Amino acid sequence: MRFTHALVRPPGDSFAAGLTTAGLGPPDVALARSQHQRYLHALEACGVAVLRLAPDEKHPDATFVEDTAIITARGALLTRPGAAARRGEVTAIGRALATMFPVMEAIRAPGTLDGGDVCDADGHFFIGLSDRTNEDGARQLAAWLAQRDYGSAIIDIRTMPGLLHLKSGLAHLRHRRLLTVNALAGHPALQGWEILRVPPDEGEAANCLAVNQRVLIPAGFPKTGHALRRLGLEIIELDVSEFRKMDGGLSCLSLRWQINRWNRPLAGATTGGGRE
Ligand code: GLY
């Protein structure tokens, strides 16, 4: 899908109080903001118009907007994040998205679902079962997708070390090609897909983000960058060191979609001047 729009929220002053298991020390909030700004510019360089929400000081993890909604070409669904401390983030995102997606359902209790566990591979959705997304939430999403003629497959990552979310270790590049960590590469749900594995010492590089003709990858993973270039992909490397300290990566910093007949243009988005 060619993305036309994205929604982001810069980290607030409270960012360092967010959830983390990384053990990498507290983030430098000023540096996180400048990394976020470069991320926003990279999206614009990919031809995406970016809506920037104000920081949400009440919710330190609110910069990870992707966890709060699932946006498809056929509608949007609000999530119910697995971490109770993050559930309050959803209301404001719902309000922002309601200006474009007139009908929005939501995951219901006892279901939990984080957007980071949902990988849209050109209309086929991989749904991760994780410490954040439970079976009830995954099934609700699968049913919602099926009503819209989308296929899905559930992948249990709960025993896979180092994966907070499915997309911590899986990205769809384009044309049925996936970038994965070793632990996921042989999963039956991925049979029939072309798999590119990240080297074992570059596992975090699997959390990359294909945006239109380019792939945003975290800086510091040269072997993965080289492998993607050899496939003819144009990459943009971005330093996300401060977000990694808070268990975040490139995909979870934005919600992305394509304007079509299911939604309508968003007032206030700034249009990127990048080429496509
Ligand atoms: N800090 C991001 C998360 O735990 O959801």
Side-chain angles (χ1 to χ4, degrees):
M1 184 200 309
R2 185 184 179 281
F3 295 117
T4 58
H5 286 71
L7 183 143
V8 301
R9 189 194 284 286
D13 294 338
S14 62
F15 180 51
L19 302 169
T20 183
T21 57
L24 297 172
D28 175 332
V29 178
L31 182 54
R33 286 202 181 104
S34 80
Q35 291 177 349
H36 192 271
Q37 186 71 11
R38 281 196 283 274
Y39 176 80
L40 190 160
H41 288 152
L43 290 175
E44 290 181 335
C46 296
V48 174
V50 181
L51 174 73
R52 190 174 179 274
L53 299 178
D56 177 352
E57 297 299 347
K58 279 196 196 137
H59 299 102
D61 284 308
T63 192
F64 302 119
V65 287
E66 185 186 54
D67 289 321
T68 58
I70 308 302
I71 304 185
T72 75
R74 299 172 196 158
L77 174 75
L78 295 175
T79 68
R80 184 167 181 270
R86 298 199 55 191
R87 296 211 180 121
E89 296 172 26
V90 176
T91 308
I93 297 295
R95 219 178 292 126
L97 293 178
T99 61
M100 291 155 295
F101 297 89
V103 180
M104 252 187 311
E105 292 171 56
I107 296 293
R108 298 173 309 277
T112 63
L113 181 82
D114 277 18
D117 280 317
V118 183
C119 178
D120 177 355
D122 274 345
H124 181 80
F125 291 76
F126 298 107
I127 307 170
L129 272 189
S130 70
D131 289 344
R132 299 292 178 85
T133 294
N134 65 16
E135 293 200 24
D136 191 276
R139 292 226 167 83
Q140 286 185 46
L141 174 61
W144 184 88
L145 290 167
Q147 284 164 9
R148 286 153 184 80
D149 285 332
Y150 286 127
S152 64
I154 293 178
I155 300 179
D156 190 345
I157 62 163
R158 287 173 293 188
T159 57
M160 298 184 189
L163 300 185
L164 173 67
H165 288 128
L166 178 66
K167 281 190 290 193
S168 309
L170 173 73
H172 177 241
L173 295 175
R174 291 180 77 197
H175 306 313
R176 294 191 66 82
R177 183 181 280 153
L178 302 169
L179 184 69
T180 77
V181 291
N182 263 336
L184 279 166
H187 194 282
L190 306 188
Q191 266 183 18
W193 292 75
E194 187 185 337
I195 304 291
L196 179 67
R197 295 174 192 233
V198 292
D201 58 341
E202 294 197 357
E204 287 175 61
N207 189 338
C208 68
L209 182 62
V211 184
N212 302 336
Q213 301 303 321
R214 295 172 182 160
V215 184
L216 278 46
I217 74 164
F221 302 103
K223 289 181 254 184
T224 303
H226 182 66
L228 294 176
R229 280 196 200 92
R230 281 189 58 183
L231 291 173
L233 296 169
E234 189 177 342
I235 64 170
I236 301 177
E237 289 183 83
L238 291 170
D239 189 356
V240 285
S241 63
E242 303 318 292
F243 297 99
R244 284 170 63 196
K245 289 176 182 170
M246 302 307 291
D247 286 345
L250 287 165
S251 60
C252 52
L253 288 173
S254 61
L255 281 161
R256 305 155 297 276
W257 66 94
Q258 181 183 57
I259 286 291
N260 64 18
R261 70 194 169 93
W262 298 92
N263 53 54
R264 26 175 211 269
L266 188 65
T270 57
T271 306
R275 70 186 163 82
E276 210 10 69

